[in-house]
Amino acid sequence: MSEKNILLHICCAPDACVPVPDLISEGWNVRGFFYGSNIHPFDEFNLRLAALHKLMTHTGINCEILNYNPSEWLEKISGLEV
């Protein structure tokens, strides 16, 4: 295992298709982080999550996947509207 660790936020698998293999080839131990409570509707969240699982299988990386909780996300950003 590499001693170079990196946590990579992944909003969707297509955006991670280039950096994940590149980072691995550079010797990084890549761990993904997927948080998508801001993704709507829930069907879109599930599509992104399914694609992420395919990416994980293809690249061998592990990911921290947080639960979908849009009400919590909306509560935390309340008052930040422009």
Side-chain angles (χ1 to χ4, degrees):
M1 177 185 285
S2 170
E3 293 185 29
K4 294 173 28 175
N5 296 307
I6 191 166
L7 180 66
L8 180 67
H9 178 265
I10 300 173
C11 65
C12 62
D15 285 352
C17 285
V18 172
V20 168
D22 286 352
L23 288 166
I24 292 170
S25 72
E26 292 173 11
W28 289 94
N29 178 33
V30 179
R31 182 165 177 82
F33 177 79
F34 179 77
Y35 172 76
S37 291
N38 60 319
I39 299 169
H40 300 282
F42 186 56
D43 289 344
E44 176 65 20
F45 173 85
N46 283 327
L47 289 171
R48 291 184 190 205
L49 186 56
L52 176 61
H53 283 291
K54 289 179 184 177
L55 176 72
M56 291 168 57
T57 299
H58 180 73
T59 61
I61 67 167
N62 291 315
C63 286
E64 179 77 22
I65 300 170
L66 274 61
N67 291 331
Y68 185 71
N69 191 344
S71 59
E72 180 182 62
W73 182 78
L74 290 169
E75 179 183 313
K76 298 234 186 245
I77 65 158
S78 178
L80 300 175
E81 299 89 347
V82 176

